[in-house]
Amino acid sequence: MTLGTPEKSLSRKQRLQEKQRRQLAVVDTIDKAEAKLRKAESELAEAVAEAVEVFGSERGASEELGLSVEAIRGFLSLVEGGANGADETDAAGETVEAAPAASPARAKSEAKAEGTPEREPVAV
């Protein structure tokens, strides 16, 4: 049995390390983007809550903003969840997130599992 030369194994090792560096960089980029998305959705939810106050009702805000009443309610529940202890922790000690799922498909499946109305995707 013949082993490869040290240069080839080193080269494979270097290629693997580079691939891992790129993968970690992508994961880091995604994590940062998700954090920005959660912050933007939180700010949008607060703006929608203010719109409901200004327009007097969920239906009025829905008509003026071009969002469904269900979407308005989803944003209101996000604001209420943040005000009612979104920083609580579960039994495992992890922070409970009040933010929506990262993908529309995941949001849809989580909404069905929780029995909450499905929210429309938001362009940020």
Side-chain angles (χ1 to χ4, degrees):
M1 185 164 123
T2 307
L3 294 176
T5 62
E7 293 81 26
K8 284 188 178 183
S9 64
L10 182 61
S11 177
R12 277 184 267 163
K13 182 178 177 181
Q14 287 174 335
R15 285 194 305 262
L16 179 58
Q17 287 174 335
E18 180 59 29
K19 182 178 179 181
Q20 288 173 335
R21 276 192 288 272
R22 289 193 321 261
Q23 289 172 338
L24 289 172
V26 168
V27 169
D28 187 48
T29 300
I30 295 294
D31 287 346
K32 288 177 182 177
E34 285 178 336
K36 287 179 183 179
L37 178 62
R38 283 191 298 273
K39 181 180 178 192
E41 285 181 328
S42 175
E43 291 173 359
L44 179 60
E46 290 174 13
V48 168
E50 184 177 348
V52 169
E53 286 182 32
V54 169
F55 294 115
S57 68
E58 292 174 358
R59 179 159 308 289
S62 171
E63 291 171 0
E64 293 299 324
L65 298 175
L67 295 171
S68 69
V69 174
E70 291 80 21
I72 298 284
R73 289 180 183 147
F75 286 119
L76 292 176
S77 70
L78 181 63
V79 169
E80 290 170 2
N84 293 333
D87 294 330
E88 295 178 10
T89 57
D90 64 9
E94 296 176 1
T95 302
V96 176
E97 292 184 29
S103 72
R106 185 170 161 195
K108 187 180 281 188
S109 67
E110 287 181 0
K112 286 181 184 178
E114 295 176 17
T116 56
E118 181 181 327
R119 294 187 352 189
E120 295 179 355
V122 179
V124 178

